[in-house]
Amino acid sequence: MLKEKVFLNQFTFAEQQVFELALDGYSGREIQLVLSKEEATIKSQRQNIIRKLGVFSMKESVKKFQHLEYESPRKLLQSR
């Protein structure tokens, strides 16, 4: 649980909302509808998540979160 909190704390609240919906399998369009936000806003927040994690896609971001058990807390903190 601590690793998950450290991981998510690198995101703004809005980015956390987007990321959590992505974890649940929502598409960009579905996230836009659920959060009642403009397409450009969701796109920007998704790009921020991707940039902060140093990956190339939301799919890769989700995989990174799902494999937290293999990451050391120190490595997570260094990526911030």
Side-chain angles (χ1 to χ4, degrees):
M1 191 67 167
L2 177 61
K3 287 183 183 182
E4 288 87 353
K5 286 184 180 181
V6 169
F7 187 92
L8 292 174
N9 278 339
Q10 62 190 309
F11 304 134
T12 65
F13 178 74
E15 291 166 354
Q16 286 179 22
Q17 289 180 307
V18 169
F19 189 74
E20 288 171 6
L21 288 170
L23 284 174
D24 289 337
Y26 286 81
S27 69
R29 175 75 176 133
E30 291 169 328
I31 292 170
Q32 179 186 341
L33 293 172
V34 169
L35 297 178
S36 300
K37 292 186 177 181
E38 295 291 326
E39 179 182 2
T41 302
I42 298 299
K43 187 174 182 177
S44 174
Q45 290 166 340
R46 288 168 54 105
Q47 290 297 344
N48 288 341
I49 291 166
I50 290 166
R51 179 183 47 78
K52 287 178 180 181
L53 294 179
V55 295
F56 297 102
S57 68
M58 281 302 291
K59 186 175 182 177
E60 210 176 331
S61 299
V62 168
K63 282 184 183 179
K64 189 169 187 168
F65 181 82
Q66 291 170 337
H67 291 95
L68 277 181
E69 62 208 48
Y70 306 112
E71 298 280 342
S72 73
R74 177 170 286 160
K75 185 175 179 183
L76 290 172
L77 290 170
Q78 289 172 348
S79 69
R80 293 180 78 198

